[in-house]
Amino acid sequence: IKLDEFVVEYSGDLIDPKEAAKRDEIYSADSEYGSYMYYFIHKGTKWCIDATIESGKLGRLLNHSCKVPNCATKIIEVKT
């Protein structure tokens, strides 16, 4: 993988922080779940992608650590 090359989509449910907090409480109470939530700001609004439920997509396994990141986020709007 070369610098600045697209790696993989981080996909899941696009939710607001209030819904993310509710889900995080549920996930924290059940050891079956990990936490695969990614928070970001787009056009001045905070969002979260919840990829906790297994979908078979590998993006949820990427390291998006703030301290030692190995990838950077690129937001792409998709009109459906």
Side-chain angles (χ1 to χ4, degrees):
I1 299 171
K2 296 177 182 164
L3 183 64
D4 294 327
E5 187 175 18
F6 178 80
V7 177
V8 68
E9 176 187 10
Y10 192 94
S11 65
D13 296 336
L14 181 62
I15 57 177
D16 63 35
K18 190 181 244 185
E19 176 64 22
K22 289 179 194 176
R23 291 183 185 194
D24 195 38
E25 280 187 44
I26 294 167
Y27 301 152
S28 295
D30 189 339
S31 62
E32 178 182 330
Y33 294 106
S35 181
Y36 296 90
M37 293 198 185
Y38 180 69
Y39 294 87
F40 64 98
I41 296 173
H42 180 58
K43 294 185 178 178
T45 302
K46 189 170 184 180
W47 294 97
C48 175
I49 297 177
D50 180 3
T52 300
I53 304 304
E54 180 63 62
S55 66
K57 296 188 176 188
L58 299 176
R60 68 195 286 265
L61 304 175
L62 284 180
N63 172 12
H64 54 264
S65 168
C66 294
K67 294 182 180 180
V68 187
N70 61 10
C71 291
T73 301
K74 179 176 183 179
I75 298 171
I76 300 172
E77 290 186 48
V78 178
K79 305 220 187 279
T80 58

